[in-house]
Amino acid sequence: MAEGLRAMSSFDTEVPVLLLRLDPGPFPRSALGVVRSLGRAGIEVHAVAASARGPVGRSRYLHRMYARPSELTAPMAHAPLLDLLRDLSEGIGRPAVLLPVDDRGALAAARLAGRLLGRYLLPAQPAGLPERLADRAQLALLCRELGLPHPATVVPAGAQQAADAAAELGLPLVAKWSRPWLLPPSAGLPGTTLVHTPDDARRLYELTERAGSALLLQRLLPGGRGTDWFFHGCFTGDGGCLIGGPGRAGRGRPWAGPAAAGRRLPNTQVERAALRLAGHLGYRGLLDLDFRRDAHGRYHLLGVSARPGAHFRLFTDPSSGLDAVRALHLDLTGRTVPRGPGAPGRRFRPGTYRRRTAPPDGAPPPAPPLPARSSAAPHGMPRGVPPAPTPGAPPRP
């Protein structure tokens, strides 16, 4: 306990944190863990989102919530976001750590980093790196370059090629838009779709202009018990990981919506792949990687996000209380990050919001589907339309 208190006192509590969410709706429950972790360390936490509903807005550790203007719903609304962040900086009155908690926010913050100097602290990244990792087509090329397992992927150049590729890859398969953050809200298109026929692939390709980015067709890796894994960590930029590690995902409570439980477990293949990727890219900051194990025991990298993962608290060091978001704050403010042994085998079940019957915040209803659609299961792999929620009380915040 004494060591934990000494670690807590090492934070620069004069540097607040601003959480940024650009996606519609309230913060995910994982953001509540971020607020609690930083708030309990004595760090002032601010947040900006489209909605103050949910446990984050009610947390006693949140200093202030700011409303996100409606014009920021546009996929590339960087100018109004820059104006908003500058205004918030003036109100906060001192430099703050800018911590995006969704993919759109992470990409926008990285793009604006050079224009936010002096107002916000952000990890120094090679130019365009977060966007390269989030682009699913670029990720496939990167995995090929590094020799990391990745599902067989085709980027068709025409509608007929899409149909032919679907037949060659095997059905059903996964269709993804390369840059899902560019999907217009009015398009009503999911970022990931399960394709059952070559005609489905052909019709999806014909929506490319509407989607705003290229279509990817990807071989489906069957899921199952123990197949989904992740790696969460905070990296230094020289290949070192300040804190983090691998874990295995499991299904959450059915009545609580699309949640996933997690357990911290050693996995040499997952850890080696994560460290190799981060070291090769010179990555600095938070990283959330999703893997799926195939029938041959290979762990395929499915997605990368530059934000806190849903299970980041699994990797809290019990002796110091250090976790990934605390490590990031220490690193960006020039403080020493303590090292600890960690706690393999720890379990964690993040909360989730209950399913909604209508889109949040007045979002337009989805367009009538052409191919079969599905919701994304944990780690971005579709598993079919979710069943109706089982009656029961929602989890407590």
Side-chain angles (χ1 to χ4, degrees):
M1 178 64 71
E3 292 180 4
L5 291 175
R6 284 196 296 271
M8 297 275 275
S9 65
S10 67
F11 289 98
D12 187 348
T13 55
E14 293 301 311
V15 180
V17 171
L18 175 65
L19 303 187
L20 175 65
R21 177 173 170 83
L22 294 184
D23 285 336
F27 280 101
R29 284 282 178 100
S30 57
L32 180 61
V34 175
V35 173
R36 286 174 171 172
S37 176
L38 296 173
R40 287 169 178 166
I43 298 167
E44 187 176 287
V45 183
H46 301 249
V48 57
S51 173
R53 293 174 298 171
V56 171
R58 299 193 300 268
S59 174
R60 65 181 180 273
Y61 297 106
L62 182 68
H63 182 77
R64 186 172 178 182
M65 175 73 79
Y66 306 92
R68 177 180 63 74
S70 58
E71 59 264 27
L72 292 184
T73 56
M76 301 291 285
H78 292 140
L81 175 60
L82 180 61
D83 292 339
L84 172 65
L85 292 175
R86 286 172 172 170
D87 290 343
L88 294 180
S89 175
E90 294 292 337
I92 295 173
R94 57 196 188 279
V97 171
L98 182 59
L99 180 54
V101 295
D102 62 6
D103 292 332
R104 283 187 59 199
L107 293 170
R111 186 175 287 252
L112 296 174
R115 303 167 72 178
L116 296 173
L117 293 176
R119 297 179 180 271
Y120 294 99
L121 303 179
L122 286 159
Q125 300 279 16
L129 178 55
E131 189 167 307
R132 182 186 179 193
L133 290 174
D135 187 316
R136 292 157 167 178
Q138 292 295 317
L139 180 61
L141 294 175
L142 180 61
C143 287
R144 186 181 307 170
E145 176 185 338
L146 293 178
L148 299 178
H150 185 74
T153 301
V154 174
V155 182
Q160 185 57 46
Q161 187 178 355
D164 294 341
E168 292 174 6
L169 288 171
L171 296 166
L173 57 78
V174 181
K176 301 179 178 180
W177 299 111
S178 174
R179 300 184 175 190
W181 67 91
L182 296 180
L183 284 169
S186 59
L189 296 173
T192 302
T193 306
L194 195 62
V195 170
H196 295 276
T197 69
D199 283 343
D200 287 346
R202 178 185 292 109
R203 287 186 288 174
L204 261 180
Y205 181 84
E206 292 169 352
L207 298 174
T208 299
E209 184 175 351
R210 181 175 166 187
S213 65
L215 176 70
L216 277 72
L217 300 178
Q218 194 170 87
R219 181 168 294 156
L220 175 63
L221 296 180
R225 186 176 181 85
T227 59
D228 288 322
W229 289 72
F230 52 83
F231 188 100
H232 297 328
C234 181
F235 290 85
T236 61
D238 58 1
C241 184
L242 295 171
I243 189 169
R248 189 179 66 200
R251 297 300 294 169
R253 301 171 184 175
W255 51 262
R263 184 180 181 185
R264 179 177 181 175
L265 291 171
N267 188 313
T268 303
Q269 292 185 55
V270 167
E271 184 169 3
R272 185 184 299 121
L275 295 177
R276 183 177 181 185
L277 178 75
H280 174 77
L281 297 174
Y283 189 88
R284 184 183 182 192
L286 301 177
L287 204 56
D288 174 17
L289 299 94
D290 297 324
F291 295 84
R292 176 164 285 185
R293 190 184 66 212
D294 67 12
H296 303 287
R298 295 175 299 183
Y299 292 83
H300 294 249
L301 179 59
L302 300 182
V304 181
S305 296
R307 54 168 172 74
H311 303 93
F312 80 92
R313 285 187 290 170
L314 268 178
F315 306 97
T316 302
D317 182 74
S319 63
S320 65
L322 185 72
D323 58 33
V325 296
R326 290 183 175 183
L328 179 68
H329 191 279
L330 289 169
D331 186 43
L332 293 180
T333 55
R335 300 299 178 105
T336 300
V337 181
R339 302 284 180 146
R346 183 183 177 193
R347 298 176 184 268
F348 179 70
R349 188 189 302 274
T352 183
Y353 293 109
R354 300 185 70 185
R355 290 193 182 97
R356 301 175 181 271
T357 57
D361 294 340
L370 293 175
R373 294 177 56 183
S374 68
S375 65
H379 313 300
M381 295 302 294
R383 302 214 186 166
V385 178
T390 304
R396 298 177 66 85

